[in-house]
Amino acid sequence: MKLPAIVVHGGAGSWKDDRIPIGLAEVENAAKVGFRILETGGSCLDAAEACTLYMESCGKLNAGLGARPNSDGEKELDAIIIDGFELKTGAVMAVKGIQNPTSLARYVMEETEYVMFAGEGARRLYDRMMSEGYRKEAEHGAIQMPLLEEGGDTVGCIAVDVGGRIAATSSTGGISEKLPGRVGDSPVFGAGAYANKVCGATATGYGEHIVRVVMCRMAVQYYENGASIQKASDMAIELLERDTGSEAGIVMASANGDFGKSTNAKAMPTVAIRENIDSIERFTR
Ligand code: ASP
């Protein structure tokens, strides 16, 4: 067992060479934010939310502040959070005017009877969340780092707490020049992210292709069927490539703290930390 554990990616794609170290540095910062919560006994959900919130707020990755605009020049954000132990999820899709959709997704999961909200309804739910004091804003539309005193591309993480409970996130501005209202895989349970009591996975790549193979659920199934976690990650990417010809990336972590990652794209800045902060592992793909 190597717990707690966190594995974080900053998006798979054709990164420009000079942007890879910038993305990797932000992914490392985010992983440390999440790991600090885990190592002091915090929950996987708190760690996954804070880690993802960091990446949404850094402005260097395709999520939150740094999200790519749609063809109308507006940011429309998609995000999901999953509580693997309880098999619960919350997601928001094509939401405008906010910076941190993952916190809103958690509100959907924890404070409503629903699992998915889209567009203007999601935006209104954000106002309700704020009026109830669920989170505090640093400025309008941007949430304060909620759980700490201190303070590309699609982002996502899998956090496993000391109790072996798994949380997964994915957060994105989507693909370049997407039409208004377009939603990709990222907020779709099973496709863009998945977690249960055994294992979690989160994906990045061209959403229209990832949904067709339900990539994250498939990856976890491969692991449940007996593949090693690295093999399960590789098999998920092979499935996507075989059935759609596309490129993507995936990171996975299991309840005992094993992790895997795989991509057939040029780069996918990824960081894993397990047991203690000195065990940090950095990968450019
Ligand atoms: N999966 C995201 C989407 O299709 C994009 C990405 O991973 O960069 O919206």
Side-chain angles (χ1 to χ4, degrees):
M1 291 252 218
K2 291 203 165 174
L3 296 177
I6 191 162
V7 55
V8 188
H9 76 78
S14 49
W15 287 70
K16 290 197 180 110
D17 290 340
D18 58 345
R19 281 199 61 238
I20 295 172
I22 298 168
L24 189 60
E26 295 295 5
V27 170
E28 176 169 341
N29 291 339
K32 286 176 174 167
V33 164
F35 193 79
R36 271 188 227 121
I37 292 170
L38 294 170
E39 71 180 347
T40 51
S43 77
C44 56
L45 286 167
D46 286 350
E49 180 188 351
C51 168
T52 311
L53 191 125
Y54 177 89
M55 293 191 282
E56 291 169 346
S57 304
C58 74
K60 306 261 172 53
L61 301 163
N62 177 24
L65 183 65
R68 290 184 193 125
N70 65 18
S71 60
D72 283 352
E74 288 186 302
K75 291 176 187 176
E76 278 186 334
L77 307 180
D78 303 328
I80 189 168
I81 191 163
I82 299 166
D83 176 342
F85 192 81
E86 300 289 347
L87 204 61
K88 281 184 171 173
T89 185
V92 294
M93 304 174 177
V95 58
K96 292 193 258 191
I98 68 167
Q99 184 176 293
N100 301 113
T102 301
S103 299
L104 182 58
R106 187 168 175 188
Y107 180 81
V108 171
M109 178 174 78
E110 292 184 340
E111 303 295 331
T112 79
E113 61 192 288
Y114 307 109
V115 294
M116 291 182 256
F117 276 76
E120 180 52 22
R123 179 69 185 82
R124 279 162 51 188
L125 195 72
Y126 181 86
D127 294 338
R128 183 178 117 183
M129 169 173 112
M130 283 305 157
S131 71
E132 290 175 2
Y134 184 79
R135 293 288 179 268
K136 291 202 176 76
E137 282 185 318
E139 56 189 73
H140 188 60
I143 293 176
Q144 273 180 14
M145 284 302 288
L147 307 154
L148 284 180
E149 293 304 314
E150 54 188 285
D153 246 294
T154 294
V155 304
C157 87
I158 310 294
V160 191
D161 61 30
V162 288
R165 293 184 179 216
I166 303 167
T169 62
S170 184
S171 181
T172 188
I175 55 174
S176 299
E177 289 297 304
K178 67 181 183 184
L179 289 179
R182 177 267 184 191
V183 175
D185 63 302
S186 305
V188 179
F189 188 74
Y194 180 77
N196 58 21
K197 286 190 171 116
V198 178
C199 188
T202 186
T204 164
Y206 202 69
E208 282 67 10
H209 299 149
I210 292 170
V211 293
R212 286 165 55 197
V213 297
V214 199
M215 197 167 82
C216 286
R217 183 60 183 109
M218 288 301 292
V220 170
Q221 190 66 50
Y222 294 140
Y223 179 71
E224 290 178 300
N225 288 352
S228 73
I229 199 157
Q230 182 53 47
K231 180 74 182 157
S233 304
D234 291 338
M235 286 169 77
I237 295 299
E238 281 159 23
L239 171 74
L240 178 92
E241 193 172 307
R242 189 192 70 214
D243 287 1
T244 73
S246 197
E247 285 185 352
I250 192 165
V251 303
M252 302 178 70
S254 67
N256 60 15
D258 289 338
F259 80 96
K261 52 145 194 82
S262 190
T263 183
N264 58 350
K266 177 185 172 187
M268 179 176 69
T270 300
V271 170
I273 310 177
R274 300 186 293 158
E275 264 185 312
N276 69 70
I277 202 109
D278 299 329
S279 74
I280 190 160
E281 292 172 82
R282 305 170 188 84
F283 309 92
T284 54
R285 74 186 296 280

